Amino acid sequence: PSSSSSSSSAPGVGQSSSSSFVPSSIIERDIAIHLVHQSGARYNYKDAVSIMEEVDEDLLSSLADDFFNDNTTNLVFESENLKVLDLSSCPSSSDEDEGGSPRGGGLAARRVVRRLVFKCSLGLSQTEVLLDPFTGQPDHTKLPMPIHAGMATLAIGFLCAGHDDGQAEGGHETSGNDSVGISIIGAGTGALPMFLAKALPLDGG
């Protein structure tokens, strides 16, 4: 639903006057549950809700404030059919070093992802690419989306296997100087092809 409120919150957040709005207390509770799961604790949702009912509301509100301070979303571009978003977040516990501190520290420890989404399916990320937190430039040496990482693994494995066996498609022998090409067709913004261009030697390289 639309809202003319000048509040910085998303439309509907914390406005309990309508049944279609989600109260801020529920959002803060669910954020706390997310943080509990992220920490590695193993509770199902029902048990986690029961635990959170015993937590002071001020503490839940403080946790939510910290979460929104550490996780931001900026709209970079919008057209009739798509949006481009920059999502910035602090590292999770899995990104910490042996001493428990975020790797790199400060700005270097932040993870910034540029995401392309179609408006017909806003919950589905079409393409993601990591950005350098200092320069804002794309980092094509990594693939943040697991599906892209899997496709890259298959492509590189196929190409390497062909060269190692000295066989091309159809069983024909190849020489060490033969180049092999691959074609990638998709609706993304080139994250996978750019990664492969960095990871694989180009002709004459």
Side-chain angles (χ1 to χ4, degrees):
S2 60
S3 172
S4 59
S5 173
S6 61
S7 171
S8 60
S9 299
V13 174
Q15 302 175 17
S16 57
S17 58
S18 172
S19 60
S20 62
F21 291 136
V22 179
S24 59
S25 58
I26 294 179
I27 295 174
E28 292 168 355
R29 181 202 66 189
D30 285 352
I31 288 174
I33 291 173
H34 163 75
L35 295 175
V36 168
H37 278 289
Q38 193 177 47
S39 70
R42 297 184 177 276
Y43 296 104
N44 61 37
Y45 183 78
K46 182 178 179 181
D47 291 340
V49 169
S50 298
I51 294 173
M52 291 303 159
E53 290 177 350
E54 305 297 325
V55 177
D56 184 80
E57 291 185 1
D58 290 338
L59 177 57
L60 289 179
S61 180
S62 177
L63 286 172
D65 289 342
D66 289 342
F67 177 84
F68 286 122
N69 288 333
D70 292 340
N71 300 271
T72 61
T73 300
N74 295 317
L75 178 64
V76 179
F77 173 82
E78 182 175 14
S79 70
E80 181 180 353
N81 298 313
L82 61 84
K83 289 184 178 183
V84 178
L85 308 169
D86 280 357
L87 297 87
S88 177
S89 62
C90 286
S92 64
S93 58
S94 61
D95 295 320
E96 296 176 349
D97 59 25
E98 294 180 356
S101 301
R103 293 192 178 99
L107 184 60
R110 296 195 69 84
R111 185 176 189 267
V112 185
V113 175
R114 179 158 292 175
R115 174 179 294 172
L116 169 68
V117 295
F118 294 135
K119 288 186 175 180
C120 61
S121 54
L122 289 175
L124 179 63
S125 177
Q126 299 298 322
T127 298
E128 293 181 358
V129 63
L130 288 175
L131 300 182
D132 185 296
F134 293 101
T135 66
Q137 295 299 308
D139 178 4
H140 293 300
T141 64
K142 303 180 182 70
L143 290 170
M145 292 188 70
I147 188 171
H148 284 166
M151 293 169 68
T153 300
L154 289 174
I156 294 174
F158 172 78
L159 294 175
C160 292
H163 277 279
D164 290 343
D165 295 340
Q167 298 287 328
E169 186 177 357
H172 302 295
E173 293 187 1
T174 63
S175 68
N177 296 324
D178 288 338
S179 62
V180 178
I182 57 175
S183 177
I184 301 174
I185 302 174
T189 56
L192 180 56
M194 290 298 294
F195 170 81
L196 293 175
K198 290 281 188 180
L200 297 172
L202 301 177
D203 288 344

